[in-house]
Amino acid sequence: VLGRDGRQIGLTLAQGPIIALLMVLVMGSDELVPGEGAAVSKAAQVLLALTLGAVYVGASSSVREVVKELPILRRERAAGVGFNPYVLSKAAMLGAITVGQAFVLVALGAIRQSAPTSANVLGDARFELVVVVAMTGLASMAMGLFVSTIVRRTLRS
């Protein structure tokens, strides 16, 4: 169903790069370098922007998915398709898109930022940043799917 909606696909795929480019325009450079005082505040702003971008990308792509296809879901349930496989298929598809968007968001949004010098867990600080942003996006996507399952109609309905 998503594949037939070209406008929605375009908007979904454009969100990450647009947010990242806005970050490049607004944020200074080398704000993720270790430091004290104002440097810590600037690094926190970059991380907050990446986090909020991931929340937006994850939630906006999923919040209308189930409710807009409610008639299709009812037809599939009548044919014997369970609710859980339906939602899991949505989560898998949207999860892949969200992880890709997180990669783009970090790659473009932090392009002017010097990567942190040391990693805590995964060996590469930039990769850790991608993983954290992706996990934030996935959590937001899950919340969006949850909201979409409890709402009975879209605003246009």
Side-chain angles (χ1 to χ4, degrees):
V1 173
L2 183 63
R4 289 183 285 192
D5 192 358
R7 189 177 120 224
Q8 183 65 31
I9 290 174
L11 289 173
T12 299
L13 295 177
Q15 289 174 354
I18 290 171
I19 293 170
L21 291 175
L22 289 173
M23 283 182 60
V24 168
L25 292 173
V26 173
M27 299 289 175
S29 60
D30 295 330
E31 292 182 352
L32 285 179
V33 295
E36 295 179 19
V40 172
S41 176
K42 289 182 179 187
Q45 289 174 2
V46 171
L47 296 175
L48 178 65
L50 287 170
T51 302
L52 291 177
V55 167
Y56 177 77
V57 166
S60 68
S61 67
S62 63
V63 76
R64 293 180 300 153
E65 276 301 308
V66 177
V67 71
K68 77 178 182 183
E69 296 177 4
L70 209 50
I72 296 169
L73 176 60
R74 287 184 179 133
R75 220 175 21 246
E76 288 182 359
R77 291 203 55 185
V81 176
F83 183 73
N84 289 339
Y86 175 82
V87 172
L88 288 174
S89 71
K90 289 288 183 189
M93 178 195 60
L94 292 172
I97 292 171
T98 301
V99 169
Q101 293 285 39
F103 178 78
V104 169
L105 191 61
V106 172
L108 294 178
I111 201 163
R112 292 179 42 197
Q113 310 301 325
S114 296
T117 55
S118 63
N120 293 322
V121 177
L122 301 175
D124 180 63
R126 184 85 53 171
F127 181 65
E128 283 183 355
L129 190 55
V130 169
V131 168
V132 169
V133 170
M135 298 286 281
T136 303
L138 289 172
S140 298
M141 180 214 61
M143 287 298 296
L145 279 175
F146 173 71
V147 168
S148 186
T149 60
I150 60 174
V151 173
R152 294 290 175 230
R153 63 185 184 97
T154 63
L155 291 176
R156 293 183 185 153
S157 296

